[in-house]
Amino acid sequence: MASPATLDGRAVAALDGLPVDWRHKAMPPRTWGQRAADVVALGLRLSDLPTPLLTLSRDAMAHNEQVMTSWRRAHALDLAPHGKTTMAPQLWRTQLESGAWAITLANTAQLAVARAFGLSRAIVANAVISPLALRWIAEQLAADPDFELFVWG
């Protein structure tokens, strides 16, 4: 099994200090202007939030992560979970800390988000044919010799 990819933990942690505002879907106006970490500390109830809304159970996620890590190790597999589904660097960090080999993304825009958080290894699960996107990818690879990228063709 290969070593897991890495992510810039400081960049991910900095998300907690960003203010929540009207651009953040499902955040009620009373949270606008507060740091994300402070909003979490409010202990909002589901009934305090507008719908539609997706919620995650911390306990269920920890259990699933442990099961996947055990299964991956028992079968000597490397996994590249779908970061494109969540687009949440905080979840990517957890997956990478559990041994994910890479994060899978859908397109160059999503790859740009991952690179902003220092992702060291990614899969783009689509062909990249735009000359502008290819040029940007070449620049990323040239600027960071530790960055690895795999693209479906």
Side-chain angles (χ1 to χ4, degrees):
M1 293 189 303
S3 62
T6 59
L7 204 63
D8 181 350
R10 289 182 308 241
V12 175
L15 292 171
D16 287 343
L18 295 178
V20 171
D21 62 26
W22 54 268
R23 293 172 289 186
H24 298 94
K25 186 177 180 177
M27 297 310 298
R30 73 181 185 128
T31 64
W32 297 351
Q34 296 183 54
R35 294 178 328 120
D38 295 333
V39 172
V40 170
L42 290 174
L44 297 174
R45 298 168 42 122
L46 288 178
S47 60
D48 294 328
L49 304 169
T51 59
L53 180 68
L54 170 71
T55 63
L56 301 173
S57 163
R58 188 178 311 270
D59 291 341
M61 286 178 44
H63 171 77
N64 290 349
E65 204 61 43
Q66 186 275 325
V67 168
M68 283 303 297
T69 299
S70 296
W71 182 82
R72 179 186 61 77
R73 287 180 180 153
H75 293 85
L77 294 173
D78 290 325
L79 298 178
H82 285 215
K84 63 187 181 182
T85 303
T86 64
M87 288 307 295
Q90 300 93 326
L91 294 177
W92 301 346
R93 178 183 57 199
T94 299
Q95 292 168 319
L96 294 170
E97 288 171 350
S98 294
W101 176 78
I103 298 294
T104 301
L105 304 156
N107 54 45
T108 308
Q110 292 179 0
L111 177 61
V113 172
R115 289 299 293 152
F117 289 93
L119 183 64
S120 65
R121 187 182 299 120
I123 297 173
V124 174
N126 285 293
V128 178
I129 58 172
S130 161
L132 295 173
L134 291 168
R135 187 174 307 118
W136 177 79
I137 288 170
E139 291 167 357
Q140 291 292 301
L141 291 165
D144 183 354
D146 294 326
F147 175 48
E148 297 177 79
L149 178 64
F150 301 83
V151 178
W152 289 6

